[in-house]
Amino acid sequence: MKTIVMKMWLVVAAALTVTLTSCSDDDDNNTSGSDKMTYSAEIEVSDDVLSLATVNLQEYGNSGLGAATQLTKTKYDWSKTITSYPAKVGLALSIEPKNQELTKEKYDITVVYKVTMKDEKGNMKGAGVDYSKKLTGVKAADVPRILENIKRQLTNVKALVDFTSASDFTQRSKSEI
């Protein structure tokens, strides 16, 4: 009799283990997309900015800021999908005005830097970045001051992100690294 009762308990325990394991697997399938984030950056600069300043991008990753890459095109798009945490992700945009003679009477100064962070369903997460400076017909005498101002502002743009998880992250600027 004791043997029959023990065998029944073993069967019940095995059934519960299979049931609990099955429930656990179902829960994982329901939340698998919640940890995926996509960081995207769109950058636009005018031809005049490219001729008047060195425009650099630095990728930010788990080892910190990487080497700077000089922009040679007026538009640049970049994205990275984050699936494991902790993670550091981002781009730092910088401008270094060139010391050169200004040959035109007026310049068009455009610097647009947009960053979005979206979950797998496309929902916006975090504040993101939306830096935009579009000036047309800038007098040559005003160009150095405007470029220096943009340089200073870009240093403080919070486009570098330290992710602890998909829902817990801290936005940083280049000056905070």
Side-chain angles (χ1 to χ4, degrees), residues 8-146:
M8 285 188 347
W9 277 113
L10 285 172
V11 170
V12 169
L16 281 174
T17 302
V18 171
T19 303
L20 294 175
T21 302
S22 181
C23 289
S24 176
D25 287 346
D26 289 346
D27 290 344
D28 288 345
N29 289 338
N30 289 337
T31 61
S32 64
S34 64
D35 286 346
K36 184 177 176 183
M37 293 286 292
T38 301
Y39 174 107
S40 300
E42 297 174 37
I43 298 162
E44 178 184 351
V45 293
S46 62
D47 284 322
D48 283 341
V49 169
L50 288 177
S51 69
L52 298 169
T54 301
V55 182
N56 288 317
L57 283 176
Q58 282 182 289
E59 188 171 336
Y60 179 63
N62 289 334
S63 58
L65 284 171
T69 302
Q70 186 174 343
L71 282 185
T72 57
K73 301 183 298 185
T74 57
K75 291 192 179 198
Y76 186 83
D77 293 324
W78 185 86
S79 69
K80 182 161 185 142
T81 302
I82 304 105
T83 57
S84 63
Y85 302 90
K88 294 181 179 185
V89 179
L91 288 178
L93 178 67
S94 64
I95 290 180
E96 187 60 47
K98 297 175 184 174
N99 290 326
Q100 67 184 38
E101 185 179 337
L102 302 175
T103 57
K104 297 181 355 184
E105 187 177 316
K106 294 186 179 183
Y107 292 86
D108 293 333
I109 307 291
T110 298
V111 178
V112 177
Y113 186 28
K114 293 182 181 184
V115 172
T116 57
M117 291 175 286
K118 295 181 180 178
D119 65 15
E120 189 171 38
K121 295 179 182 177
N123 298 318
M124 192 77 99
K125 299 293 180 181
V129 172
D130 193 359
Y131 177 87
S132 182
K133 183 73 76 176
K134 292 184 177 186
L135 305 169
T136 57
V138 175
K139 293 179 185 175
D142 295 332
V143 167
R145 177 184 53 80
I146 290 170

